[in-house]
Amino acid sequence: VNATPATIGLGIVGLGRATALMLLAFQASPHAAVVAGADPRPAAREAFRSTFGGTPYASAEELCADRAVDAVVIATPPELHARQVAVAAAAGKHVLVEKPMAPTLAECDRMIAAAAEAGVHLLVGHTLAYSPAIRAIAHAVAAGQFGRLGSILSLYYTDYVYRPRRPADLVPGTGQGIVLNQLPHVVDCIRLIAGGVVESVAAAALWEWDPDRPVPGAGSAFLRLPAGAAAQVVYSGYDRFDSVVWTFGVDELGYRVAHEPGASRRRLREVAASGGSEGDVLESKRFGGGAGGAGDPADRQPQPGVLLVSCEHADLRPSEDGVAVFAAGGVEHRRIAQPHWPAGRTDVLRALYDAVVHDRACVHDGAWGKATVEVCLAIESAARGGGEVVLRAQRPPATPVTPPTFVDETGSEVSA
Ligand SMILES: NC(=O)c1ccc[n+]([C@@H]2O[C@H](COP(=O)([O-])OP(=O)(O)OC[C@H]3O[C@@H](n4cnc5c(N)ncnc54)[C@H](O)[C@@H]3O)[C@@H](O)[C@H]2O)c1
């Protein structure tokens, strides 16, 4: 008799910022044990050894040959995702790849084919869309609790442009602006709430407002959804207005933050003025770097900007600890049992465990991840004068979205 394994062995490829953000989830997950880590940077490997006690490797290839690894988490820059997924799949490993799945649809297709050929699961780690409040809203909309979906409004203002970057990320044309870095979060939440399908990007605009950082840092888009519904997206990463002003002072990780317009921009200038390099600041935010330790868990739920979902009979938005439902009769607060970080991130690992151990289908599979990349690239194309872009790779989730557990004021469970 084969006992169900309590945990799966994880190998992490890419021990950078994304891994620092997942650290608490890796440590808190009852479903996964980190047994190996790969990164070309010796400092990252050293930090890995002291944090996890697992085996450090210099390359994805070596890590994928480790028999203790059941599934590989790929958290490297997006241009490496397709090749590394192929390496992992060929070694018979299941794969969780960070968002964005890949920079092109052709690469997404190759990743899906590689996983199918090897008979392994491929998941895309859209951590924000796994947040309990987003799943709660998606579940309520899918169940038709408030009638048909009409509109989704996303207003997301951050300091994204002034977060420390690799020099390559600031090269005009090939650098990483919001399109494949920040919009995947927004688009994935919208797709989850709307049932997976965006019919077209009807109109879009992208702006580069700082010649010293010449990548798209702000944008706007109008997405057509099925049955006459629509979504409007505004994103700005220029460190001026910040949507935390409208989200209880809580940021996208669930931390309470002070709003200081221009503070991130000033910090980078000060680093340069004192002869420091942006690369050093980035390094300090990576796994094993100064600020890259686990830190304290956030005690609020993540706030993905302002997100307002309007159905025939109610408007819904994430509240401080759950979902607020605004209807003709007043406001109903639906409290979520464990809304705070790293809730969404441990749920990503739960989905991976269920896929590996129980062969269970998941929402964020390869075809889903590709569909999110398709929307982001279509926003870019519409903004560059391509006119309305009709989408072809959209699809509903392969399995229903599971709602979180709701509680009353005393903490007792209530049904959704
Ligand atoms: N879900 C989230 O909230 C979230 C947050 C941050 C980043 N991300 C995503 O994670 C990915 C990585 O971004 P990041 O910000 O962590 O970048 P990063 O530069 O901080 O980290 C990337 C790491 O990969 C390593 N690396 C480079 N080449 C490698 C190779 N060939 N083999 C193994 N390791 C290699 C680098 O040394 C570095 O440590 C991106 O796809 C990004 O969009 C997701």
Side-chain angles (χ1 to χ4, degrees), residues 378-391:
I379 288 174
E380 185 165 49
S381 161
R384 303 267 180 252
E388 177 157 2
V389 181
V390 176
L391 303 173

Side-chain angles (χ1 to χ4, degrees), residues 16-18 39-41 76 81 84 98-99 127 286 345:
R17 175 74 181 143
D39 201 295
R41 294 179 304 118
T76 51
H81 290 179
Q84 291 177 335
E98 264 295 348
K99 55 56 58 178
T127 47
R286 285 174 163 154
R345 290 173 195 262

Side-chain angles (χ1 to χ4, degrees), residues 3-404:
T4 306
T7 58
I8 52 172
L10 289 188
I12 307 171
V13 175
L15 304 169
R17 175 74 181 143
T19 293
L21 289 171
M22 277 294 283
L23 190 52
L24 276 177
F26 286 133
Q27 290 172 335
S29 172
H31 305 292
V34 176
V35 296
D39 201 295
R41 294 179 304 118
R45 295 202 295 274
E46 198 39 57
F48 179 83
R49 196 197 305 270
S50 58
T51 304
F52 292 107
T55 315
Y57 295 103
S59 72
E61 285 77 3
E62 292 166 273
L63 179 140
C64 289
D66 187 330
R67 295 181 59 178
V69 172
D70 299 307
V72 177
V73 177
I74 295 177
T76 51
E79 64 272 17
L80 299 179
H81 290 179
R83 200 179 59 76
Q84 291 177 335
V85 166
V87 168
K93 310 296 185 189
H94 302 277
V95 185
L96 168 65
V97 63
E98 264 295 348
K99 55 56 58 178
M101 185 171 169
T104 65
L105 297 182
E107 285 165 282
C108 294
D109 284 334
R110 287 207 297 276
M111 293 156 81
I112 293 166
E117 208 169 295
V120 296
H121 285 278
L122 170 61
L123 285 75
V124 184
H126 281 278
T127 47
L128 206 55
Y130 274 86
S131 301
I134 304 297
R135 279 166 32 223
I137 294 174
H139 183 258
V141 169
Q145 286 179 13
F146 306 103
R148 282 182 308 181
L149 175 67
S151 86
I152 302 175
L153 175 67
S154 167
L155 302 175
Y156 210 147
Y157 291 73
T158 69
D159 65 351
Y160 171 71
V161 173
Y162 301 98
R163 294 177 192 166
R165 318 285 282 281
R166 301 178 295 167
D169 289 339
L170 293 171
V171 172
T174 54
Q176 278 200 42
I178 60 170
V179 175
L180 284 174
N181 201 298
Q182 296 298 287
L183 295 185
H185 286 305
V186 176
V187 166
D188 211 71
C189 290
I190 289 172
R191 288 190 55 237
L192 200 75
I193 292 165
V197 175
V198 177
E199 291 183 341
S200 72
V201 176
L206 286 172
W207 301 289
E208 293 174 12
W209 283 331
D210 183 344
D212 290 336
R213 302 176 84 76
V215 290
S220 182
F222 187 88
L223 314 180
R224 286 191 211 284
L225 305 173
Q232 295 169 69
V233 175
V234 181
Y235 190 99
S236 173
Y238 281 99
D239 189 28
R240 303 181 313 203
F241 183 75
D242 194 306
S243 35
V244 297
V245 169
W246 289 332
T247 57
F248 327 101
V250 174
D251 72 6
E252 58 203 350
L253 292 176
Y255 291 105
R256 268 186 196 290
V257 289
H259 177 216
E260 293 173 59
S264 300
R265 196 186 284 238
R266 275 197 302 279
R267 267 196 293 280
L268 285 187
R269 259 197 231 120
E270 281 159 19
V271 168
S274 63
S277 87
E278 192 167 332
D280 292 342
V281 186
L282 175 61
E283 187 62 33
S284 74
K285 291 181 176 296
R286 285 174 163 154
F287 171 75
D296 293 329
D299 59 356
R300 304 284 150 169
Q301 70 177 4
Q303 296 290 337
V306 171
L307 189 69
L308 189 58
V309 178
S310 297
C311 296
E312 275 177 288
H313 306 301
D315 303 313
L316 293 81
R317 68 168 293 202
S319 63
E320 277 186 277
D321 58 358
V323 174
V325 181
F326 298 78
V331 191
E332 178 201 346
H333 289 286
R334 297 186 170 186
R335 286 180 187 76
I336 292 171
Q338 261 221 312
H340 47 274
W341 194 74
R345 290 173 195 262
T346 44
D347 286 334
V348 174
L349 299 179
R350 173 73 203 239
L352 180 62
Y353 174 89
D354 284 342
V356 172
V357 173
H358 301 298
D359 196 24
R360 200 167 287 162
C362 65
V363 172
H364 285 87
D365 59 11
W368 178 277
K370 175 188 170 188
T372 291
V373 172
E374 184 190 34
V375 178
C376 298
L377 294 177
I379 288 174
E380 185 165 49
S381 161
R384 303 267 180 252
E388 177 157 2
V389 181
V390 176
L391 303 173
R392 313 209 176 277
Q394 302 299 298
R395 43 158 282 167
T399 182
V401 175
T402 47

